[in-house]
Amino acid sequence: MTRPTFHDFKKKALRDPGVRAEYESLSAAYHLRKKLIGLRKKAGLTQEELAKRLNTQKSNISRLENVNSKISPKLSTIEEYAKAVGFKLELDFVPQKTIKPHHNRINSD
Amino acid sequence: MTRPTFHDFKKKALRDPGVRAEYESLSAAYHLRKKLIGLRKKAGLTQEELAKRLNTQKSNISRLENVNSKISPKLSTIEEYAKAVGFKLELDFVPQKTIKPHHNRINSD
DNA sequence: GACACGGTTATCGTAAATGATAACATACTC
DNA sequence: GAGTATGTTATCATTTACGATAACCGTGTC
């Protein structure tokens, strides 16, 4: 028998309703940060260069982008970041599906 | 000669690049608030009822929705509001048009 | 090894968002 | 007019995001 992989661990963890709830609630901020990094790199900017555009420091950019960050940024912060890398932020409100999720459904990340 | 109407005033004001910039920068938050109110009403909730769902006070809901408000809410605040009225918040980043705007173009609304 | 580059982390001070309470305005009903 | 419902505004305390500085970790280059 082999050692459990991280994938196995995640699969199992996501079956726990509590863990799953936290995972989903985190996902918005999580995906946001990944998105921001992608936009910055596509714009060919380092954190330091972007920081300069925003009149701030690279450490602050890092904090904002960092997945481990516990902060929930202000709307204006995200907007300014977006603008600095050449994008405009738009907010969409999509109706929540109230469908009970299939009990063995796993997010494919 | 008649008194200048508010519409005239606004039209003129928006020709000023500074004023216009401020107008545009405010518009995101402005539209957001209108959107939020619409979602709440569609859900058939009063501010007080929604406040209860969010474990807060109606005055705080009012502050968040109020167009005159100068605050830039946290992302999580908007997310929780959306969830409480049955919606999910999604962020979209659309490429900025760098086209120079027509010098006499006026926003309708 | 020394250096530069890109990013992370810790810390501290300040500014701003949020929580909470109360008083107020309007409109509507009895 | 008294009472109720909905939303607004002001104020204060608390929490948290953000600004700023510094030290650190790789990685690559010389």
Side-chain angles (χ1 to χ4, degrees):
Chain A
M1 157 163 186
T2 63
R3 272 199 325 133
T5 63
F6 173 70
H7 185 70
D8 293 333
F9 171 76
K10 184 177 151 201
K11 237 169 123 179
K12 188 169 180 186
L14 287 181
R15 287 204 196 97
D16 180 317
V19 174
R20 182 176 179 81
E22 188 179 359
Y23 180 81
E24 305 246 316
S25 75
L26 278 167
S27 81
Y30 175 73
H31 291 310
L32 167 66
R33 296 171 206 286
K34 284 206 304 186
K35 185 79 184 174
L36 290 181
I37 298 174
L39 295 180
R40 176 173 59 80
K41 299 214 156 149
K42 202 179 323 190
L45 296 172
T46 66
Q47 289 184 346
E48 195 162 19
E49 288 165 335
L50 179 54
K52 199 160 197 175
R53 288 194 187 188
L54 293 170
N55 297 313
T56 183
Q57 275 62 40
K58 63 174 184 172
S59 57
N60 298 326
I61 303 294
S62 177
R63 178 174 53 194
L64 179 64
E65 290 180 351
N66 199 318
V67 175
N68 298 325
S69 183
K70 293 284 185 187
I71 71 171
S72 180
K74 287 199 294 173
L75 197 55
S76 58
T77 305
I78 304 173
E79 279 178 334
E80 286 160 21
Y81 185 114
K83 186 178 255 183
V85 294
F87 288 79
K88 183 171 172 305
L89 178 65
E90 279 186 4
L91 304 181
D92 284 332
F93 296 89
V94 307
Q96 273 284 25
K97 24 174 178 288
T98 42
I99 328 162
K100 197 171 183 180
H102 189 292
H103 79 294
N104 265 339
R105 235 306 177 60
I106 299 293
N107 262 357
S108 56
D109 194 0
Chain B
M1 162 168 181
T2 62
R3 275 202 319 135
T5 64
F6 173 70
H7 185 71
D8 292 334
F9 172 76
K10 187 176 148 198
K11 236 168 126 180
K12 188 170 180 186
L14 287 181
R15 286 204 197 98
D16 179 318
V19 174
R20 181 177 179 81
E22 187 179 358
Y23 181 81
E24 305 245 316
S25 74
L26 279 168
S27 81
Y30 175 73
H31 291 310
L32 167 67
R33 296 170 207 286
K34 284 205 305 184
K35 185 78 185 177
L36 290 181
I37 298 174
L39 294 180
R40 177 173 59 80
K41 299 214 156 146
K42 202 177 326 188
L45 296 172
T46 66
Q47 288 185 349
E48 195 162 20
E49 288 166 334
L50 178 55
K52 199 162 198 173
R53 288 195 189 188
L54 293 170
N55 298 312
T56 184
Q57 275 62 39
K58 63 174 183 171
S59 58
N60 298 326
I61 303 293
S62 176
R63 177 173 53 194
L64 178 65
E65 290 180 351
N66 199 317
V67 174
N68 298 326
S69 184
K70 294 284 185 186
I71 72 170
S72 180
K74 287 200 294 174
L75 195 56
S76 58
T77 304
I78 304 172
E79 279 180 334
E80 287 160 20
Y81 185 114
K83 185 178 253 183
V85 295
F87 287 79
K88 184 171 172 304
L89 178 65
E90 279 186 5
L91 305 180
D92 283 333
F93 296 89
V94 308
Q96 272 285 28
K97 25 176 179 287
T98 42
I99 328 162
K100 199 171 181 182
H102 189 293
H103 79 295
N104 265 339
R105 236 306 176 59
I106 298 292
N107 263 356
S108 57
D109 184 16

